[in-house]
Amino acid sequence: MSHAHPRLSLNQATIKYASFDEALALTADAGIRSIGLWREPVAEVGLAQAATRLTASGLRFSSLCRAGFFTAPEGPERRRAIDDNRRAIEETVTLAAAGADGSAAVLVLVAGALPEGSKDLAGARSRVQDAIAELVPDAIAAGVTLGVEPLHPLFAADRAVVSTLGQALDIAEQFPAEAVGAIVDTYHIWWDPQVLNQIARAAAGRRIASYQVCDWLTPLPADVLLGRGQPGEGHIDFAPMTRAVLDGGYTGDIEVEIFNQAIWDAPAAETVRRTIDAFAAAVPVDPAVAALAAADVEAPAVGVPALQV
Amino acid sequence: MSHAHPRLSLNQATIKYASFDEALALTADAGIRSIGLWREPVAEVGLAQAATRLTASGLRFSSLCRAGFFTAPEGPERRRAIDDNRRAIEETVTLAAAGADGSAAVLVLVAGALPEGSKDLAGARSRVQDAIAELVPDAIAAGVTLGVEPLHPLFAADRAVVSTLGQALDIAEQFPAEAVGAIVDTYHIWWDPQVLNQIARAAAGRRIASYQVCDWLTPLPADVLLGRGQPGEGHIDFAPMTRAVLDGGYTGDIEVEIFNQAIWDAPAAETVRRTIDAFAAAVPVDPAVAALAAADVEAPAVGVPALQV
C-alpha cells in the first residue's frame, strides 16, 4: 500500500454509504490529509457538529458539494435556489474554518438542467450567469470561492447546462477570481480537444477552484451517473491534465470523487486504500511534490492525525 | 399528414429493419425525395444492383454511411481501414451517379475509438488527420467529399475521438473544401456552447458536407447508442442550428437519422410518415424554402416519383 499523497483529498461521495464520522475517521486513519464534504451528510449531523468533528479529525477541508441549480426562470423556484446557495456559502465558511490549515473555502456549483419542457439552452445558460452575479457579493463578503463545475455534455439536458471548461471560464471571468472559479474534473472534460488550453487559461487567471480526478469507464452503466472509476481503471490519461493544472500554479488539494455502485458497495476502508493506491499510480504530480511525497516515509502512520504540507 | 419537405432525406438507419428495396419504396412512396444509404444493406444487394434500384426509385442520394475508423497505429489494421475507405469512396461515386439530379457524393467518416488499451487521445486524434490526408487524393480524383462526423463526447473513448464540430473543422481545413467537410448532426453537437459559431465557420468555408437532424432523449437507454428521437421528441431546439446552417448557404438535403429501438420496432411505413411530420413541425427551414414547400401542394402524390427542387 502506498502512502497517501499529501495533496490527495477524498471526496466523501467516493465512500457514499459511510456515515459522516466514519468518513472522517477512515480518511484520517488511512493517512489522507484532506476531505471534500457533501451538504446532505453534513446536514444530517448538523453543521456545528460537523465542523467540530472535522476539526477533531485534523483533516483539511477541500470543497463543499454542492449548490447551484440556477436554470429556473424568475419566480419562487429560482428564489429558493438563490436562498439555498446563500446557505451553502455560509456552510462553506464554517467548514473551511473548521478544517485544518490550508483548507479551501470552495463551494461546488452544478448549473442545473434545462427547465422541464424547455428547449432554450442559451436562455438557461444565461440564467446561470445571472444567478452567479447575484451571489458574488455574498461570496466575496464570506471569502468563499464559487466553483462552477462544467459537467460532461452527456448531462447537458438533465443535469447541468455548463458543459465545457471554456464555458465555465467565460462565466467565471465576469467576476473577480477570488469569488468565482471553475472545478476542473477530469471525468467531465477529458474528451475536450481544447482541454489543455482551457486548463492553462484557468490556471493563468487563478480560476482553478478545485482539481478533481476520476476515470471514464466503458461501457456506461444503465445509470449513466455511475460510470466513474478509480484513476487508472478507465480511458483517461491523467498526466497531461495534471501537468497543466500543476504547472499552471494550482497549489490546492486534488480530490478523488467517484460515483460507482460497485465501489460504493465495497467496504469503505477498502475503497479508501484503493483510492490512495490508484491516485499514486495514475495521477502524476509535479516533480517537487513527487519528491516531497517520496520523502514522506516518516509521515503519519495509520491513525495519527495528518501532517500539513 | 404533412407533405414531405423537398429537402428532407430519410437516412436508411431510421428504418433499420426495412430491406434495401423496402427502404427505397417507402421513402419514394411517401413523397420524400432523397435517401441516405448505409454500406451494409448496399453490400447485401450488391453495389451495382443497389445503384440500379436507386436510379429506378427516382430518389436523390444524400450520403453514404460510413467509413473512417482511423485510430489504429500503423500496421495491418490501419492498412485494412485505409483500403476499406478507398472502397467506400468508390461506392459513394457509384451511388451519387445513380441518384437523381442533385445527389451529393458525400461519404460519412466516423473517426474511431481509442485503440484497445490506449489512453493516448491526442495520438489517436492525430492519426485520424493522417489517414484523411492519405485519402484526400482519392477523394479529389473521385469527386467525393469526405464528411468528418464529430460524435457526441459520450462516445470519445469507444467510438469516435472527433468530439466537436470545431475539431472536425480543424481537420477538414487542412484540405481542400471539395475533398473534406464536416457532418453537422444536431444530436452530436447541440450541447456545444460554440455550436452556432462553428456552424457559421463551417458554412463560410463550404465545409458542411451534410446536415443531419434528430433529437436528444432523456433518460439515455441502456444501450447509449439508441437515445435518439424524432425531431421534437427531445430537448433540442432545431431552430437556431438550422438557421445557422441555411443562412450560411448550405443547399443540400437534410437527413433524419435516428437510432432508437422503439422506432425500429414500429412499422417502417409509420416511421416514414412520422419522420415527415416531425421534420415539418420541428425543423424550420429558411423562408425561401419554407415558401417553396408551402407552394408544393401540387407536388408528388404518394407513389409518384419525386420532383427535384
Side-chain angles (χ1 to χ4, degrees), chain A residues 35 37 47-64 88-106 142-145 308:
Chain A
I35 192 163
L37 297 176
L47 179 62
Q49 265 300 317
T52 301
R53 296 178 197 182
L54 173 62
T55 301
S57 76
L59 293 169
R60 289 192 301 273
F61 163 79
S62 54
S63 75
L64 183 62
I89 289 171
E90 291 310 315
E91 293 161 24
T92 306
V93 171
T94 300
L95 293 167
D101 220 32
S103 288
V106 168
V144 166
T145 300
Q308 303 309 317

mmCIF file of all heavy atoms in Angstrom, chain A residues 35 37 47-64 88-106 142-145 308:
data_model
loop_
_atom_site.group_PDB
_atom_site.id
_atom_site.type_symbol
_atom_site.label_atom_id
_atom_site.label_comp_id
_atom_site.label_asym_id
_atom_site.label_seq_id
_atom_site.Cartn_x
_atom_site.Cartn_y
_atom_site.Cartn_z
ATOM 1 N N ILE A 35 -10.383 16.222 3.038
ATOM 2 C CA ILE A 35 -11.653 15.604 2.668
ATOM 3 C C ILE A 35 -12.567 16.636 1.995
ATOM 4 O O ILE A 35 -12.574 17.815 2.372
ATOM 5 C CB ILE A 35 -12.344 14.972 3.907
ATOM 6 C CG1 ILE A 35 -13.530 14.075 3.480
ATOM 7 C CG2 ILE A 35 -12.795 16.048 4.906
ATOM 8 C CD1 ILE A 35 -13.990 13.126 4.585
ATOM 9 N N LEU A 37 -16.481 17.462 1.350
ATOM 10 C CA LEU A 37 -17.732 17.086 2.014
ATOM 11 C C LEU A 37 -18.949 17.389 1.153
ATOM 12 O O LEU A 37 -18.901 18.211 0.242
ATOM 13 C CB LEU A 37 -17.848 17.825 3.352
ATOM 14 C CG LEU A 37 -16.756 17.482 4.373
ATOM 15 C CD1 LEU A 37 -16.921 18.350 5.625
ATOM 16 C CD2 LEU A 37 -16.779 15.995 4.755
ATOM 17 N N LEU A 47 -24.621 21.263 11.062
ATOM 18 C CA LEU A 47 -23.424 21.977 10.618
ATOM 19 C C LEU A 47 -22.426 22.197 11.755
ATOM 20 O O LEU A 47 -21.211 21.973 11.584
ATOM 21 C CB LEU A 47 -23.844 23.323 10.000
ATOM 22 C CG LEU A 47 -22.704 24.214 9.510
ATOM 23 C CD1 LEU A 47 -21.910 23.546 8.388
ATOM 24 C CD2 LEU A 47 -23.255 25.570 9.035
ATOM 25 N N ALA A 48 -22.920 22.584 12.925
ATOM 26 C CA ALA A 48 -21.993 22.881 14.028
ATOM 27 C C ALA A 48 -21.257 21.619 14.467
ATOM 28 O O ALA A 48 -20.030 21.621 14.646
ATOM 29 C CB ALA A 48 -22.772 23.485 15.213
ATOM 30 N N GLN A 49 -22.014 20.520 14.589
ATOM 31 C CA GLN A 49 -21.382 19.243 14.935
ATOM 32 C C GLN A 49 -20.399 18.804 13.856
ATOM 33 O O GLN A 49 -19.312 18.299 14.161
ATOM 34 C CB GLN A 49 -22.452 18.161 15.095
ATOM 35 C CG GLN A 49 -22.896 17.953 16.527
ATOM 36 C CD GLN A 49 -21.740 17.528 17.417
ATOM 37 O OE1 GLN A 49 -20.915 16.686 17.049
ATOM 38 N NE2 GLN A 49 -21.650 18.149 18.581
ATOM 39 N N ALA A 50 -20.798 18.979 12.617
ATOM 40 C CA ALA A 50 -19.911 18.577 11.520
ATOM 41 C C ALA A 50 -18.597 19.347 11.608
ATOM 42 O O ALA A 50 -17.510 18.774 11.434
ATOM 43 C CB ALA A 50 -20.601 18.821 10.177
ATOM 44 N N ALA A 51 -18.707 20.645 11.886
ATOM 45 C CA ALA A 51 -17.499 21.470 11.989
ATOM 46 C C ALA A 51 -16.622 21.010 13.145
ATOM 47 O O ALA A 51 -15.395 20.882 13.009
ATOM 48 C CB ALA A 51 -17.895 22.936 12.146
ATOM 49 N N THR A 52 -17.242 20.744 14.264
ATOM 50 C CA THR A 52 -16.483 20.291 15.442
ATOM 51 C C THR A 52 -15.750 18.986 15.150
ATOM 52 O O THR A 52 -14.566 18.817 15.470
ATOM 53 C CB THR A 52 -17.453 20.090 16.640
ATOM 54 O OG1 THR A 52 -18.100 21.337 16.902
ATOM 55 C CG2 THR A 52 -16.715 19.609 17.880
ATOM 56 N N ARG A 53 -16.470 18.066 14.531
ATOM 57 C CA ARG A 53 -15.856 16.755 14.258
ATOM 58 C C ARG A 53 -14.781 16.863 13.178
ATOM 59 O O ARG A 53 -13.776 16.152 13.214
ATOM 60 C CB ARG A 53 -16.945 15.761 13.839
ATOM 61 C CG ARG A 53 -17.946 15.520 14.973
ATOM 62 C CD ARG A 53 -19.056 14.586 14.544
ATOM 63 N NE ARG A 53 -20.193 14.679 15.462
ATOM 64 C CZ ARG A 53 -21.298 13.953 15.367
ATOM 65 N NH1 ARG A 53 -21.425 13.062 14.379
ATOM 66 N NH2 ARG A 53 -22.283 14.090 16.232
ATOM 67 N N LEU A 54 -15.004 17.755 12.220
ATOM 68 C CA LEU A 54 -13.971 17.971 11.193
ATOM 69 C C LEU A 54 -12.693 18.487 11.843
ATOM 70 O O LEU A 54 -11.587 18.000 11.575
ATOM 71 C CB LEU A 54 -14.490 18.965 10.141
ATOM 72 C CG LEU A 54 -13.489 19.432 9.081
ATOM 73 C CD1 LEU A 54 -12.985 18.255 8.231
ATOM 74 C CD2 LEU A 54 -14.120 20.504 8.167
ATOM 75 N N THR A 55 -12.833 19.449 12.745
ATOM 76 C CA THR A 55 -11.657 19.976 13.449
ATOM 77 C C THR A 55 -10.950 18.860 14.223
ATOM 78 O O THR A 55 -9.719 18.723 14.166
ATOM 79 C CB THR A 55 -12.072 21.102 14.417
ATOM 80 O OG1 THR A 55 -12.705 22.143 13.666
ATOM 81 C CG2 THR A 55 -10.858 21.665 15.145
ATOM 82 N N ALA A 56 -11.735 18.049 14.902
ATOM 83 C CA ALA A 56 -11.146 16.964 15.695
ATOM 84 C C ALA A 56 -10.408 15.958 14.820
ATOM 85 O O ALA A 56 -9.447 15.325 15.263
ATOM 86 C CB ALA A 56 -12.243 16.257 16.498
ATOM 87 N N SER A 57 -10.849 15.827 13.575
ATOM 88 C CA SER A 57 -10.202 14.838 12.690
ATOM 89 C C SER A 57 -8.814 15.266 12.263
ATOM 90 O O SER A 57 -8.007 14.441 11.827
ATOM 91 C CB SER A 57 -11.065 14.622 11.434
ATOM 92 O OG SER A 57 -10.922 15.727 10.536
ATOM 93 N N GLY A 58 -8.545 16.573 12.350
ATOM 94 C CA GLY A 58 -7.257 17.079 11.877
ATOM 95 C C GLY A 58 -7.185 17.214 10.363
ATOM 96 O O GLY A 58 -6.138 17.591 9.824
ATOM 97 N N LEU A 59 -8.262 16.907 9.667
ATOM 98 C CA LEU A 59 -8.255 16.942 8.197
ATOM 99 C C LEU A 59 -8.433 18.363 7.673
ATOM 100 O O LEU A 59 -9.112 19.182 8.291
ATOM 101 C CB LEU A 59 -9.376 16.063 7.645
ATOM 102 C CG LEU A 59 -9.251 14.558 7.876
ATOM 103 C CD1 LEU A 59 -10.564 13.852 7.515
ATOM 104 C CD2 LEU A 59 -8.093 13.992 7.049
ATOM 105 N N ARG A 60 -7.839 18.593 6.503
ATOM 106 C CA ARG A 60 -8.222 19.781 5.748
ATOM 107 C C ARG A 60 -9.594 19.531 5.109
ATOM 108 O O ARG A 60 -9.987 18.386 4.875
ATOM 109 C CB ARG A 60 -7.216 20.070 4.618
ATOM 110 C CG ARG A 60 -5.873 20.577 5.076
ATOM 111 C CD ARG A 60 -5.050 21.106 3.902
ATOM 112 N NE ARG A 60 -4.790 20.123 2.873
ATOM 113 C CZ ARG A 60 -3.773 19.258 2.860
ATOM 114 N NH1 ARG A 60 -2.901 19.252 3.866
ATOM 115 N NH2 ARG A 60 -3.623 18.409 1.869
ATOM 116 N N PHE A 61 -10.222 20.630 4.776
ATOM 117 C CA PHE A 61 -11.491 20.611 4.043
ATOM 118 C C PHE A 61 -11.175 21.147 2.643
ATOM 119 O O PHE A 61 -10.566 22.202 2.505
ATOM 120 C CB PHE A 61 -12.488 21.507 4.785
ATOM 121 C CG PHE A 61 -13.692 21.938 3.994
ATOM 122 C CD1 PHE A 61 -14.770 21.083 3.806
ATOM 123 C CD2 PHE A 61 -13.754 23.229 3.465
ATOM 124 C CE1 PHE A 61 -15.889 21.507 3.091
ATOM 125 C CE2 PHE A 61 -14.870 23.654 2.756
ATOM 126 C CZ PHE A 61 -15.937 22.792 2.563
ATOM 127 N N SER A 62 -11.556 20.401 1.619
ATOM 128 C CA SER A 62 -11.156 20.835 0.265
ATOM 129 C C SER A 62 -12.285 21.429 -0.553
ATOM 130 O O SER A 62 -12.026 22.220 -1.478
ATOM 131 C CB SER A 62 -10.500 19.679 -0.492
ATOM 132 O OG SER A 62 -11.328 18.530 -0.508
ATOM 133 N N SER A 63 -13.536 21.065 -0.288
ATOM 134 C CA SER A 63 -14.654 21.684 -1.007
ATOM 135 C C SER A 63 -15.965 21.190 -0.408
ATOM 136 O O SER A 63 -16.004 20.137 0.245
ATOM 137 C CB SER A 63 -14.642 21.351 -2.504
ATOM 138 O OG SER A 63 -15.071 20.011 -2.721
ATOM 139 N N LEU A 64 -17.003 21.945 -0.651
ATOM 140 C CA LEU A 64 -18.349 21.507 -0.279
ATOM 141 C C LEU A 64 -19.159 21.290 -1.550
ATOM 142 O O LEU A 64 -19.257 22.155 -2.416
ATOM 143 C CB LEU A 64 -19.045 22.560 0.601
ATOM 144 C CG LEU A 64 -20.442 22.155 1.109
ATOM 145 C CD1 LEU A 64 -20.374 20.913 1.994
ATOM 146 C CD2 LEU A 64 -21.088 23.315 1.887
ATOM 147 N N ALA A 88 -25.558 27.678 1.474
ATOM 148 C CA ALA A 88 -24.390 26.837 1.174
ATOM 149 C C ALA A 88 -23.086 27.631 1.303
ATOM 150 O O ALA A 88 -22.055 27.095 1.729
ATOM 151 C CB ALA A 88 -24.521 26.253 -0.234
ATOM 152 N N ILE A 89 -23.131 28.900 0.952
ATOM 153 C CA ILE A 89 -21.945 29.749 1.131
ATOM 154 C C ILE A 89 -21.588 29.827 2.613
ATOM 155 O O ILE A 89 -20.416 29.696 2.996
ATOM 156 C CB ILE A 89 -22.193 31.152 0.524
ATOM 157 C CG1 ILE A 89 -22.211 31.066 -1.008
ATOM 158 C CG2 ILE A 89 -21.131 32.147 0.999
ATOM 159 C CD1 ILE A 89 -22.668 32.356 -1.714
ATOM 160 N N GLU A 90 -22.601 30.002 3.438
ATOM 161 C CA GLU A 90 -22.337 30.073 4.883
ATOM 162 C C GLU A 90 -21.806 28.738 5.414
ATOM 163 O O GLU A 90 -20.905 28.710 6.262
ATOM 164 C CB GLU A 90 -23.602 30.497 5.636
ATOM 165 C CG GLU A 90 -24.007 31.949 5.366
ATOM 166 C CD GLU A 90 -22.826 32.914 5.541
ATOM 167 O OE1 GLU A 90 -22.082 32.791 6.537
ATOM 168 O OE2 GLU A 90 -22.638 33.794 4.663
ATOM 169 N N GLU A 91 -22.361 27.650 4.934
ATOM 170 C CA GLU A 91 -21.856 26.328 5.346
ATOM 171 C C GLU A 91 -20.385 26.169 4.961
ATOM 172 O O GLU A 91 -19.574 25.625 5.721
ATOM 173 C CB GLU A 91 -22.689 25.218 4.692
ATOM 174 C CG GLU A 91 -24.134 25.143 5.189
ATOM 175 C CD GLU A 91 -25.056 24.375 4.244
ATOM 176 O OE1 GLU A 91 -24.552 23.539 3.465
ATOM 177 O OE2 GLU A 91 -26.273 24.633 4.280
ATOM 178 N N THR A 92 -20.063 26.669 3.762
ATOM 179 C CA THR A 92 -18.674 26.563 3.292
ATOM 180 C C THR A 92 -17.730 27.333 4.209
ATOM 181 O O THR A 92 -16.639 26.851 4.557
ATOM 182 C CB THR A 92 -18.571 27.098 1.850
ATOM 183 O OG1 THR A 92 -19.524 26.412 1.036
ATOM 184 C CG2 THR A 92 -17.173 26.883 1.284
ATOM 185 N N VAL A 93 -18.148 28.524 4.623
ATOM 186 C CA VAL A 93 -17.336 29.330 5.541
ATOM 187 C C VAL A 93 -17.069 28.558 6.824
ATOM 188 O O VAL A 93 -15.927 28.465 7.295
ATOM 189 C CB VAL A 93 -18.077 30.652 5.890
ATOM 190 C CG1 VAL A 93 -17.355 31.399 7.009
ATOM 191 C CG2 VAL A 93 -18.226 31.525 4.656
ATOM 192 N N THR A 94 -18.111 27.984 7.369
ATOM 193 C CA THR A 94 -17.991 27.279 8.646
ATOM 194 C C THR A 94 -17.054 26.077 8.529
ATOM 195 O O THR A 94 -16.197 25.849 9.390
ATOM 196 C CB THR A 94 -19.393 26.812 9.111
ATOM 197 O OG1 THR A 94 -20.222 27.973 9.255
ATOM 198 C CG2 THR A 94 -19.325 26.063 10.422
ATOM 199 N N LEU A 95 -17.224 25.326 7.450
ATOM 200 C CA LEU A 95 -16.417 24.106 7.305
ATOM 201 C C LEU A 95 -14.963 24.447 6.978
ATOM 202 O O LEU A 95 -14.040 23.788 7.468
ATOM 203 C CB LEU A 95 -17.036 23.207 6.234
ATOM 204 C CG LEU A 95 -18.415 22.640 6.642
ATOM 205 C CD1 LEU A 95 -19.129 22.022 5.435
ATOM 206 C CD2 LEU A 95 -18.274 21.612 7.771
ATOM 207 N N ALA A 96 -14.761 25.475 6.151
ATOM 208 C CA ALA A 96 -13.380 25.857 5.826
ATOM 209 C C ALA A 96 -12.654 26.330 7.085
ATOM 210 O O ALA A 96 -11.462 26.039 7.277
ATOM 211 C CB ALA A 96 -13.374 26.938 4.746
ATOM 212 N N ALA A 97 -13.388 27.029 7.956
ATOM 213 C CA ALA A 97 -12.767 27.491 9.206
ATOM 214 C C ALA A 97 -12.487 26.321 10.140
ATOM 215 O O ALA A 97 -11.547 26.363 10.942
ATOM 216 C CB ALA A 97 -13.688 28.506 9.886
ATOM 217 N N ALA A 98 -13.278 25.287 10.036
ATOM 218 C CA ALA A 98 -13.114 24.133 10.930
ATOM 219 C C ALA A 98 -12.046 23.163 10.438
ATOM 220 O O ALA A 98 -11.499 22.377 11.222
ATOM 221 C CB ALA A 98 -14.447 23.391 11.058
ATOM 222 N N GLY A 99 -11.752 23.207 9.171
ATOM 223 C CA GLY A 99 -10.739 22.315 8.620
ATOM 224 C C GLY A 99 -9.349 22.756 9.024
ATOM 225 O O GLY A 99 -9.144 23.891 9.451
ATOM 226 N N ALA A 100 -8.400 21.856 8.893
ATOM 227 C CA ALA A 100 -7.018 22.176 9.258
ATOM 228 C C ALA A 100 -6.480 23.244 8.301
ATOM 229 O O ALA A 100 -7.074 23.552 7.269
ATOM 230 C CB ALA A 100 -6.160 20.915 9.194
ATOM 231 N N ASP A 101 -5.357 23.758 8.704
ATOM 232 C CA ASP A 101 -4.696 24.802 7.930
ATOM 233 C C ASP A 101 -4.545 24.385 6.475
ATOM 234 O O ASP A 101 -4.178 23.246 6.180
ATOM 235 C CB ASP A 101 -3.298 24.993 8.528
ATOM 236 C CG ASP A 101 -2.928 26.455 8.563
ATOM 237 O OD1 ASP A 101 -3.837 27.291 8.727
ATOM 238 O OD2 ASP A 101 -1.731 26.750 8.409
ATOM 239 N N GLY A 102 -4.799 25.338 5.566
ATOM 240 C CA GLY A 102 -4.730 25.011 4.150
ATOM 241 C C GLY A 102 -6.061 24.603 3.575
ATOM 242 O O GLY A 102 -6.151 24.278 2.394
ATOM 243 N N SER A 103 -7.104 24.631 4.417
ATOM 244 C CA SER A 103 -8.435 24.292 3.905
ATOM 245 C C SER A 103 -8.884 25.344 2.894
ATOM 246 O O SER A 103 -8.552 26.519 3.002
ATOM 247 C CB SER A 103 -9.452 24.223 5.054
ATOM 248 O OG SER A 103 -9.206 23.069 5.837
ATOM 249 N N ALA A 104 -9.663 24.886 1.917
ATOM 250 C CA ALA A 104 -10.155 25.761 0.852
ATOM 251 C C ALA A 104 -11.612 26.097 1.119
ATOM 252 O O ALA A 104 -12.394 25.223 1.456
ATOM 253 C CB ALA A 104 -10.019 25.060 -0.490
ATOM 254 N N ALA A 105 -11.961 27.365 0.960
ATOM 255 C CA ALA A 105 -13.374 27.754 1.093
ATOM 256 C C ALA A 105 -14.000 27.728 -0.299
ATOM 257 O O ALA A 105 -14.237 28.764 -0.913
ATOM 258 C CB ALA A 105 -13.480 29.127 1.740
ATOM 259 N N VAL A 106 -14.227 26.506 -0.781
ATOM 260 C CA VAL A 106 -14.721 26.322 -2.153
ATOM 261 C C VAL A 106 -16.086 25.644 -2.112
ATOM 262 O O VAL A 106 -16.258 24.599 -1.493
ATOM 263 C CB VAL A 106 -13.743 25.476 -2.987
ATOM 264 C CG1 VAL A 106 -14.374 25.034 -4.308
ATOM 265 C CG2 VAL A 106 -12.453 26.258 -3.246
ATOM 266 N N ALA A 142 -18.098 36.626 2.248
ATOM 267 C CA ALA A 142 -17.833 35.432 3.057
ATOM 268 C C ALA A 142 -16.423 34.878 2.842
ATOM 269 O O ALA A 142 -15.978 34.020 3.593
ATOM 270 C CB ALA A 142 -18.859 34.354 2.705
ATOM 271 N N GLY A 143 -15.744 35.345 1.811
ATOM 272 C CA GLY A 143 -14.430 34.779 1.499
ATOM 273 C C GLY A 143 -14.519 33.391 0.901
ATOM 274 O O GLY A 143 -13.618 32.570 1.051
ATOM 275 N N VAL A 144 -15.610 33.123 0.194
ATOM 276 C CA VAL A 144 -15.816 31.808 -0.431
ATOM 277 C C VAL A 144 -15.618 31.916 -1.939
ATOM 278 O O VAL A 144 -16.023 32.903 -2.558
ATOM 279 C CB VAL A 144 -17.241 31.288 -0.116
ATOM 280 C CG1 VAL A 144 -17.631 30.110 -1.019
ATOM 281 C CG2 VAL A 144 -17.334 30.886 1.358
ATOM 282 N N THR A 145 -14.976 30.919 -2.512
ATOM 283 C CA THR A 145 -14.879 30.838 -3.968
ATOM 284 C C THR A 145 -15.967 29.905 -4.486
ATOM 285 O O THR A 145 -16.072 28.751 -4.063
ATOM 286 C CB THR A 145 -13.503 30.296 -4.401
ATOM 287 O OG1 THR A 145 -12.494 31.174 -3.908
ATOM 288 C CG2 THR A 145 -13.403 30.223 -5.932
ATOM 289 N N GLN A 308 0.497 18.615 7.964
ATOM 290 C CA GLN A 308 0.169 19.561 6.895
ATOM 291 C C GLN A 308 1.383 19.755 6.000
ATOM 292 O O GLN A 308 2.504 19.689 6.461
ATOM 293 C CB GLN A 308 -0.240 20.923 7.477
ATOM 294 C CG GLN A 308 -1.393 20.823 8.439
ATOM 295 C CD GLN A 308 -2.564 20.050 7.850
ATOM 296 O OE1 GLN A 308 -2.907 20.245 6.697
ATOM 297 N NE2 GLN A 308 -3.154 19.168 8.633
#
